PDB file of all heavy atoms in Angstrom:
ATOM      1  N   HIS A 374       1.542  -0.982  -1.476  1.00  0.00           N
ATOM      2  CA  HIS A 374       2.005  -2.323  -1.084  1.00  0.00           C
ATOM      3  C   HIS A 374       1.931  -3.400  -2.181  1.00  0.00           C
ATOM      4  O   HIS A 374       2.503  -4.461  -2.013  1.00  0.00           O
ATOM      5  CB  HIS A 374       1.285  -2.774   0.195  1.00  0.00           C
ATOM      6  CG  HIS A 374      -0.147  -3.200   0.029  1.00  0.00           C
ATOM      7  ND1 HIS A 374      -0.727  -4.168   0.815  1.00  0.00           N
ATOM      8  CD2 HIS A 374      -1.108  -2.776  -0.821  1.00  0.00           C
ATOM      9  CE1 HIS A 374      -1.976  -4.326   0.460  1.00  0.00           C
ATOM     10  NE2 HIS A 374      -2.246  -3.486  -0.524  1.00  0.00           N
ATOM     11  N   HIS A 375       1.238  -3.121  -3.298  1.00  0.00           N
ATOM     12  CA  HIS A 375       1.238  -4.096  -4.405  1.00  0.00           C
ATOM     13  C   HIS A 375       2.408  -3.919  -5.364  1.00  0.00           C
ATOM     14  O   HIS A 375       2.590  -4.756  -6.258  1.00  0.00           O
ATOM     15  CB  HIS A 375      -0.071  -4.012  -5.191  1.00  0.00           C
ATOM     16  CG  HIS A 375      -1.289  -4.435  -4.411  1.00  0.00           C
ATOM     17  ND1 HIS A 375      -1.406  -5.679  -3.865  1.00  0.00           N
ATOM     18  CD2 HIS A 375      -2.439  -3.774  -4.115  1.00  0.00           C
ATOM     19  CE1 HIS A 375      -2.580  -5.785  -3.252  1.00  0.00           C
ATOM     20  NE2 HIS A 375      -3.221  -4.631  -3.368  1.00  0.00           N
ATOM     21  N   ASP A 410      -4.032  -4.384   5.285  1.00  0.00           N
ATOM     22  CA  ASP A 410      -4.905  -4.173   4.144  1.00  0.00           C
ATOM     23  C   ASP A 410      -5.661  -5.469   3.830  1.00  0.00           C
ATOM     24  O   ASP A 410      -5.146  -6.561   4.089  1.00  0.00           O
ATOM     25  CB  ASP A 410      -4.092  -3.724   2.925  1.00  0.00           C
ATOM     26  CG  ASP A 410      -4.925  -3.251   1.754  1.00  0.00           C
ATOM     27  OD1 ASP A 410      -5.434  -4.117   0.989  1.00  0.00           O
ATOM     28  OD2 ASP A 410      -5.086  -2.030   1.604  1.00  0.00           O
ATOM     29  N   TYR A 411      -6.881  -5.362   3.303  1.00  0.00           N
ATOM     30  CA  TYR A 411      -7.674  -6.546   2.926  1.00  0.00           C
ATOM     31  C   TYR A 411      -6.940  -7.425   1.912  1.00  0.00           C
ATOM     32  O   TYR A 411      -7.087  -8.658   1.916  1.00  0.00           O
ATOM     33  CB  TYR A 411      -9.020  -6.072   2.335  1.00  0.00           C
ATOM     34  CG  TYR A 411      -9.882  -7.138   1.733  1.00  0.00           C
ATOM     35  CD1 TYR A 411     -10.746  -7.897   2.538  1.00  0.00           C
ATOM     36  CD2 TYR A 411      -9.865  -7.407   0.358  1.00  0.00           C
ATOM     37  CE1 TYR A 411     -11.560  -8.871   1.984  1.00  0.00           C
ATOM     38  CE2 TYR A 411     -10.676  -8.375  -0.208  1.00  0.00           C
ATOM     39  CZ  TYR A 411     -11.535  -9.108   0.604  1.00  0.00           C
ATOM     40  OH  TYR A 411     -12.332 -10.061   0.058  1.00  0.00           O
ATOM     41  N   HIS A 412      -6.156  -6.782   1.048  1.00  0.00           N
ATOM     42  CA  HIS A 412      -5.446  -7.527   0.005  1.00  0.00           C
ATOM     43  C   HIS A 412      -4.007  -7.852   0.445  1.00  0.00           C
ATOM     44  O   HIS A 412      -3.377  -7.065   1.163  1.00  0.00           O
ATOM     45  CB  HIS A 412      -5.373  -6.689  -1.280  1.00  0.00           C
ATOM     46  CG  HIS A 412      -6.735  -6.233  -1.776  1.00  0.00           C
ATOM     47  ND1 HIS A 412      -7.235  -4.982  -1.494  1.00  0.00           N
ATOM     48  CD2 HIS A 412      -7.644  -6.873  -2.506  1.00  0.00           C
ATOM     49  CE1 HIS A 412      -8.429  -4.876  -2.041  1.00  0.00           C
ATOM     50  NE2 HIS A 412      -8.731  -6.009  -2.664  1.00  0.00           N
ATOM     51  N   GLY A 497      -4.402  -0.517   5.505  1.00  0.00           N
ATOM     52  CA  GLY A 497      -5.512  -0.522   4.552  1.00  0.00           C
ATOM     53  C   GLY A 497      -6.799  -0.653   5.340  1.00  0.00           C
ATOM     54  O   GLY A 497      -6.850  -1.403   6.329  1.00  0.00           O
ATOM     55  N   ASP A 499      -9.768  -1.468   3.890  1.00  0.00           N
ATOM     56  CA  ASP A 499     -10.754  -2.179   3.057  1.00  0.00           C
ATOM     57  C   ASP A 499     -11.257  -3.465   3.701  1.00  0.00           C
ATOM     58  O   ASP A 499     -11.987  -4.247   3.067  1.00  0.00           O
ATOM     59  CB  ASP A 499     -10.231  -2.425   1.625  1.00  0.00           C
ATOM     60  CG  ASP A 499      -8.727  -2.699   1.570  1.00  0.00           C
ATOM     61  OD1 ASP A 499      -8.101  -2.918   2.615  1.00  0.00           O
ATOM     62  OD2 ASP A 499      -8.204  -2.663   0.440  1.00  0.00           O
ATOM     63  N   ILE A 506     -15.400  -3.036  -2.574  1.00  0.00           N
ATOM     64  CA  ILE A 506     -14.750  -4.075  -3.380  1.00  0.00           C
ATOM     65  C   ILE A 506     -14.263  -5.250  -2.553  1.00  0.00           C
ATOM     66  O   ILE A 506     -13.574  -6.133  -3.092  1.00  0.00           O
ATOM     67  CB  ILE A 506     -13.587  -3.499  -4.234  1.00  0.00           C
ATOM     68  CG1 ILE A 506     -12.392  -3.063  -3.349  1.00  0.00           C
ATOM     69  CG2 ILE A 506     -14.040  -2.347  -5.109  1.00  0.00           C
ATOM     70  CD1 ILE A 506     -11.099  -2.796  -4.136  1.00  0.00           C
ATOM     71  N   SER A 507     -14.579  -5.292  -1.266  1.00  0.00           N
ATOM     72  CA  SER A 507     -13.996  -6.312  -0.398  1.00  0.00           C
ATOM     73  C   SER A 507     -15.053  -7.066   0.379  1.00  0.00           C
ATOM     74  O   SER A 507     -16.215  -6.656   0.415  1.00  0.00           O
ATOM     75  CB  SER A 507     -12.979  -5.651   0.574  1.00  0.00           C
ATOM     76  OG  SER A 507     -12.070  -4.867  -0.168  1.00  0.00           O
ATOM     77  N   GLU A 535      -2.975   2.709   2.999  1.00  0.00           N
ATOM     78  CA  GLU A 535      -3.009   1.868   1.788  1.00  0.00           C
ATOM     79  C   GLU A 535      -4.400   1.917   1.170  1.00  0.00           C
ATOM     80  O   GLU A 535      -4.839   2.965   0.746  1.00  0.00           O
ATOM     81  CB  GLU A 535      -2.561   0.433   2.141  1.00  0.00           C
ATOM     82  CG  GLU A 535      -1.149   0.326   2.700  1.00  0.00           C
ATOM     83  CD  GLU A 535      -0.041   0.336   1.626  1.00  0.00           C
ATOM     84  OE1 GLU A 535      -0.329   0.506   0.443  1.00  0.00           O
ATOM     85  OE2 GLU A 535       1.131   0.183   2.031  1.00  0.00           O
ATOM     86  N   GLY A 536      -5.150   0.788   1.164  1.00  0.00           N
ATOM     87  CA  GLY A 536      -6.476   0.764   0.531  1.00  0.00           C
ATOM     88  C   GLY A 536      -7.581   1.170   1.498  1.00  0.00           C
ATOM     89  O   GLY A 536      -7.354   1.620   2.614  1.00  0.00           O
ATOM     90  N   GLY A 537      -8.831   0.913   1.043  1.00  0.00           N
ATOM     91  CA  GLY A 537     -10.019   1.333   1.806  1.00  0.00           C
ATOM     92  C   GLY A 537     -10.854   2.257   0.943  1.00  0.00           C
ATOM     93  O   GLY A 537     -10.380   3.352   0.630  1.00  0.00           O
ATOM     94  N   TYR A 538     -12.032   1.824   0.572  1.00  0.00           N
ATOM     95  CA  TYR A 538     -12.753   2.487  -0.520  1.00  0.00           C
ATOM     96  C   TYR A 538     -14.158   2.949  -0.186  1.00  0.00           C
ATOM     97  O   TYR A 538     -14.887   3.436  -1.033  1.00  0.00           O
ATOM     98  CB  TYR A 538     -12.730   1.557  -1.770  1.00  0.00           C
ATOM     99  CG  TYR A 538     -11.313   1.180  -2.048  1.00  0.00           C
ATOM    100  CD1 TYR A 538     -10.803  -0.081  -1.646  1.00  0.00           C
ATOM    101  CD2 TYR A 538     -10.411   2.087  -2.620  1.00  0.00           C
ATOM    102  CE1 TYR A 538      -9.464  -0.414  -1.826  1.00  0.00           C
ATOM    103  CE2 TYR A 538      -9.094   1.755  -2.807  1.00  0.00           C
ATOM    104  CZ  TYR A 538      -8.610   0.516  -2.421  1.00  0.00           C
ATOM    105  OH  TYR A 538      -7.299   0.212  -2.582  1.00  0.00           O
TER     106      TYR A 538
HETATM  107 ZN1   ZN B 868      -6.494  -3.381  -0.418  1.00  0.00          ZN
END
Side-chain angles (χ1 to χ4, degrees):
H374 75 149
H375 293 302
D410 189 279
Y411 173 84
H412 305 97
D499 34 13
I506 68 166
S507 309
E535 299 279 3
Y538 307 100

